[in-house]
Amino acid sequence: MPFGYKMVDGIVTIQQEKAELVRKMFDAYIAGVSLIQMAKDLCKQGIPNANGKPSWNHGSIGKILSNRKYTGDDFYPTIVTEEMFNTVKTCREKKNAELNRNTNYH
């Protein structure tokens, strides 16, 4: 189950506090905060991750930012807008191109 959601009586519901954190991650990335800085800030603040531990890294935040489920579908309720998701996706693609990162792992 993606961070910010929980199953209640067979229906996926939003965990409001965690969903707000997901939205803040999207906002922060759009504002120019790096994944590493976000991870450091979350650890420093003692905010628990999906495993309930205050242990974050750039990879875990990157997975959240690239998870389309947050835009909602027939199973998952919407946490971030399609526009916000696409803005982050475009920013990440641009940054990867600028840094000459290969994201094709096939």
Side-chain angles (χ1 to χ4, degrees):
M1 186 71 53
F3 184 81
Y5 294 108
K6 66 180 177 179
M7 186 75 71
V8 177
D9 297 325
I11 298 171
V12 177
T13 60
I14 293 174
Q15 293 178 297
Q16 290 302 328
E17 189 174 311
K18 290 180 180 180
E20 186 58 34
L21 180 58
V22 169
R23 288 184 201 101
K24 286 180 181 179
M25 288 177 189
F26 276 83
D27 286 336
Y29 192 81
I30 291 168
V33 180
S34 72
L35 302 183
I36 292 171
Q37 188 59 52
M38 273 190 253
K40 287 179 181 178
D41 293 344
L42 291 170
C43 290
K44 185 177 180 180
Q45 295 170 33
I47 296 174
N49 62 17
N51 296 323
K53 299 180 192 274
S55 175
W56 292 88
N57 61 53
H58 72 284
S60 58
I61 294 172
K63 285 180 183 178
I64 288 172
L65 296 180
S66 64
N67 191 338
R68 184 164 286 283
K69 290 179 174 79
Y70 291 115
T71 63
D73 60 21
D74 291 340
F75 193 68
Y76 291 95
T78 301
I79 290 180
V80 298
T81 65
E82 187 79 27
E83 179 183 2
M84 182 177 273
F85 180 84
N86 288 332
T87 298
V88 166
K89 181 179 178 194
T90 300
C91 289
R92 292 189 78 197
E93 288 170 350
K94 183 179 176 186
K95 181 165 238 148
N96 286 336
E98 287 172 359
L99 297 174
N100 202 25
R101 290 183 183 149
N102 181 2
T103 57
N104 297 322
Y105 304 115
H106 305 288

